[in-house]
Amino acid sequence: MGRPTSANGDTRNLRDLLLLALPALLLVAAAFALAWQFVKPAPPKKIVITTGVAGGAYQYFGERYREKFAQEGIEVELRPSSGAVENLRRLKTDDDVDVGFIQGGIANEPESDDLATLGSMYLEPVWVFYRGDAQHDRIYQLKGRRIAIGVQGSGAQLFALQLLAANGFATNDPKLLAIGGMDAVDALRRGEIDAFFVVGAPQAPVVDALLHTDGISLLNFAQADGYVRHFPHLVKVVLPRGAIKIQADKPNRDIQLLAATANLVVRADIHPAIVTLLLKHAREIHSPPGLLQDANAFPTPRDHALPLHPMARRFYDSGPPLLQRYLPFWLAVLIDRLLVMVLPFFAVVIPLTKIIPGIYNWRMRSRVYRWYGELKFLEAEIDALPEAARTADALDAFNLRLDRIEMRAAHRKLPLAFSNELYTLREHIGLVRRRLARLAETVTTIAKS
């Protein structure tokens, strides 16, 4: 009969363990499932940047970003465009495009919910190159000449038309030619056009080529301060004398230029990790000093035509996320994503590891304590039994009850850690049994006498 009882005890212990473990496991699983809902998705392996015309600054810097991102294992697809206007249209309408360069003054949606700016990356001066050595300082002096104003849809063309119109040019003048890029550079060198409006950084191949071409001069905006009053998105900058070539004294005077900012614009739903990575590389690419800027002047949150992306605001306030400063990008992003999964461990798993064993121990000991309770009641009844009622039958009844307690305790299967509790109970049962034996001897002695 002992074996079935022992088996039943094992089954009951296992049932008790499962009654505690299963709800705990379900609670842990639910906590991790809830935390998983807040885990950020992994950043994409590829992004698309809309740039500009061949030889332009947008293409030049796009290549730089592609090289930087390749080091992080992210592919960057560069999509040439006619310029900032087309870039804005693509960002608005093409879901495949993630990032684009846009000149200041092109977009004006400070409450936009589909686009966000990462700030201004560099200055884009309006360069007006013309043939000859005459020192022109007003656009009006180019009246009647063949002028390239940039390709259709470019920010350069938009700026050129604004400035020309302000100087009395008709925007439909047939001598205003919609060509740009290296095609316009070659045409200017060959004498097929007389002047060329370019909007771009000094590093742009188009600008660099013309700055170092003999026989090509650069217009000085003598009215720069006046232009800034009429066009708030423009600022005045100065190309210092000798900045291009010291020995050749080129230019041979300070040249005043008008400049807009080149802004990096993203779709509002772009992955936050890509934003911080863009700005991290933007700081490396755009912070060195140049012809028109001091060191560390860019990038900067100067552009307010579009809302600043929240991650960009955080970047400008406190720099890159801590993990990305010291770890490779993908490892930092992985750890950042999984940090939220640590919360259930501290909030649920660790407390349960303390609570569950306590409850289990209490349940195991409660069985022994229940037998102690019966033993205590039995002793109390023995103590309360009048001496006249202490008969052999009464004592046999007590012994029978004591046997039942001992039998349950002897056949109860408890985990090994609780065996001492059972052995102690058996010792106490033995004490009561010896007491009953002494009472029985006393009763027998009285009966004989």
Side-chain angles (χ1 to χ4, degrees), residues 335-386:
I335 294 175
D336 184 57
R337 293 178 61 217
L338 296 182
L339 274 178
V340 68
M341 299 302 292
V342 177
L343 295 179
F345 183 78
F346 287 103
V348 178
V349 176
I350 291 180
L352 285 178
T353 59
K354 298 180 180 297
I355 294 172
I356 296 300
I359 296 176
Y360 182 72
N361 291 341
W362 174 80
R363 286 185 63 85
M364 294 299 103
R365 289 193 172 95
S366 67
R367 298 174 185 175
V368 180
Y369 296 156
R370 185 165 61 249
W371 298 324
Y372 267 111
E374 294 181 22
L375 187 61
K376 180 178 178 62
F377 285 128
L378 180 62
E379 283 192 284
E381 289 182 29
I382 293 172
D383 292 336
L385 186 68

Side-chain angles (χ1 to χ4, degrees), residues 260-306:
T261 55
N263 308 307
L264 202 58
V265 176
V266 298
R267 295 177 60 86
D269 58 358
I270 193 171
H271 195 285
I274 297 297
V275 171
T276 57
L277 193 59
L278 280 166
L279 285 169
K280 175 186 173 183
H281 292 316
R283 182 171 285 178
E284 298 169 2
I285 293 170
H286 302 293
S287 64
L291 283 178
L292 302 173
Q293 67 186 52
D294 296 327
N296 301 315
F298 294 94
T300 178
R302 181 185 298 182
D303 176 42
H304 302 294
L306 290 168

Side-chain angles (χ1 to χ4, degrees), residues 137-202:
D137 58 12
R138 292 188 60 192
I139 292 177
Y140 183 80
Q141 293 168 305
L142 301 177
K143 191 79 170 179
R145 300 191 185 186
R146 296 162 298 176
I147 303 173
I149 58 174
V151 297
Q152 188 70 32
S154 67
Q157 186 183 93
L158 179 62
F159 282 176
L161 291 175
Q162 288 178 337
L163 298 181
L164 288 166
N167 282 274
F169 286 73
T171 56
N172 60 351
D173 189 329
K175 291 188 176 182
L176 302 182
L177 308 175
I179 59 174
M182 295 306 295
D183 291 339
V185 172
D186 294 338
L188 186 62
R189 286 170 171 170
R190 292 193 300 264
E192 296 172 2
I193 58 175
D194 302 303
F196 178 25
F197 274 75
V198 185
V199 179

